[in-house]
Amino acid sequence: MESTNNSDASVLPVAARATLDLFASVCDRAAEVVRANTNWSASGLRSGQYAIDLDVDDVCVQPLHGAGFDVLSEESGLQQQGEELGRDVVVVDPLDGSSNASLGLPWCATAMCLVSDGVPTVAMVSNLATGDRYTAVRGCGAEQNGRTILVGPQSSLSESIIAVNGLPPEHWGWQQFRALGAAALDIAAVARGGFGGYVDTTKDSHGVWDYLASVLILEEAGGCAVDALGRNLTVLDHLERRTPVAASSESLLSELIAARMRKGL
């Protein structure tokens, strides 16, 4: 559910506010690039990558790196300021939901998460089609378009609409499910009280950029998320993959993990 009161942005730490301002400017530029794009061809560099992915990557990585951050991007990998990884790394998915964008579907996003000393601290997920923007600062709550958000009341699988990645082999006992094709926005929708949860029905198909920003937003909104195989979700390796499961409550999260195991996933 969503709070009826505007949160007081002035309570945020100065550094966090500056980081969110930077993230906002990056998202604005990313949205401009996507709106102006007319070329939805493949990049030719790797499977599943569009030429637009690289264009958006350029406008994301350059200002983040210019602000002094190391950057881990889905499209261009790890770019460090020095020889060793710094204490502050921004994980960025320049265009999550590229295929949706190519089809004109309004479910695509830029997602960024600042990881400081290995801990996710500041996050933003911006729907590039609608302008809806989700943010969180560790310990300060989560917002959608400047208004405080909380997860919904769903506590059981049978009463929940679940967002999924992949094709579920059969009915899992949920009320309904949706496969929308952009994990960052799917998990953010759990945080704002929409979906009851999110589950990856495949194995290890997500890079950290796909989910990390939204997981921080979800946790600050009162929800929870884990890797289905029990590993740390915060990983700063471009080659590592995870299997995220997220929910509005611990009980629903447990049901999702148990259902996934029963299906042999």
Side-chain angles (χ1 to χ4, degrees):
M1 59 184 173
E2 189 173 89
S3 169
T4 57
N5 296 317
N6 289 325
S7 63
D8 184 359
S10 65
V11 304
L12 292 179
V14 173
R17 172 51 58 194
T19 300
L20 286 174
D21 288 344
L22 173 62
F23 285 1
S25 67
V26 169
C27 289
D28 288 342
R29 183 65 183 122
E32 290 173 1
V33 172
V34 172
R35 282 196 300 269
N37 183 64
T38 58
N39 175 20
W40 295 101
S41 64
S43 71
L45 298 179
R46 66 172 173 81
S47 177
Q49 186 182 63
Y50 292 82
I52 183 63
D53 288 321
L54 299 177
D55 294 338
V56 180
D57 187 65
D58 285 342
V59 301
C60 290
V61 172
Q62 290 181 12
L64 294 171
H65 201 254
F69 294 115
D70 287 354
V71 181
L72 176 61
S73 168
E74 175 181 14
E75 308 304 339
S76 55
L78 180 63
Q79 300 186 43
Q80 299 176 192
Q81 298 285 341
E83 294 184 2
E84 297 183 354
L85 190 66
R87 67 177 297 272
D88 293 324
V89 182
V90 175
V91 176
V92 56
D93 191 337
L95 181 51
D96 187 35
S98 302
S99 293
N100 287 343
S102 73
L103 296 170
L105 301 176
W107 202 251
C108 59
T110 293
M112 289 172 282
C113 186
L114 172 62
V115 180
S116 296
D117 291 327
V119 178
T121 58
V122 182
M124 178 175 289
V125 174
S126 184
N127 186 320
L128 301 181
T130 67
D132 285 317
R133 194 160 287 175
Y134 304 88
T135 60
V137 174
R138 181 166 295 278
C140 297
E143 297 181 347
Q144 178 187 0
N145 301 331
R147 297 172 65 87
T148 300
I149 53 173
L150 298 172
V151 293
Q154 303 95 331
S155 60
S156 68
L157 189 56
S158 62
E159 66 181 7
S160 301
I161 299 176
I162 303 297
V164 304
N165 176 63
L167 180 63
E170 57 186 86
H171 199 285
W172 286 25
W174 39 49
Q175 185 184 98
Q176 297 181 39
F177 78 91
R178 298 286 187 273
L180 299 180
L185 288 174
D186 294 346
I187 298 173
V190 181
R192 68 167 174 78
F195 295 128
Y198 170 88
V199 61
D200 186 356
T201 68
T202 66
K203 180 180 178 182
D204 290 355
S205 61
H206 286 85
V208 64
W209 45 81
D210 290 312
Y211 59 78
L212 195 63
S214 290
V215 165
L216 177 58
I217 293 165
L218 172 65
E219 291 174 345
E220 287 296 316
C224 47
V226 296
D227 170 63
L229 304 181
R231 299 161 297 186
N232 190 349
L233 284 174
T234 305
V235 56
L236 299 177
D237 186 331
H238 195 265
L239 298 178
E240 289 285 335
R241 296 294 183 268
R242 292 293 186 264
T243 306
V245 183
S248 58
S249 66
E250 292 283 355
S251 59
L252 179 52
L253 184 70
S254 296
E255 276 198 82
L256 283 170
I257 294 172
R260 194 178 181 283
M261 291 180 64
R262 284 196 304 271
K263 306 306 177 184
L265 299 175

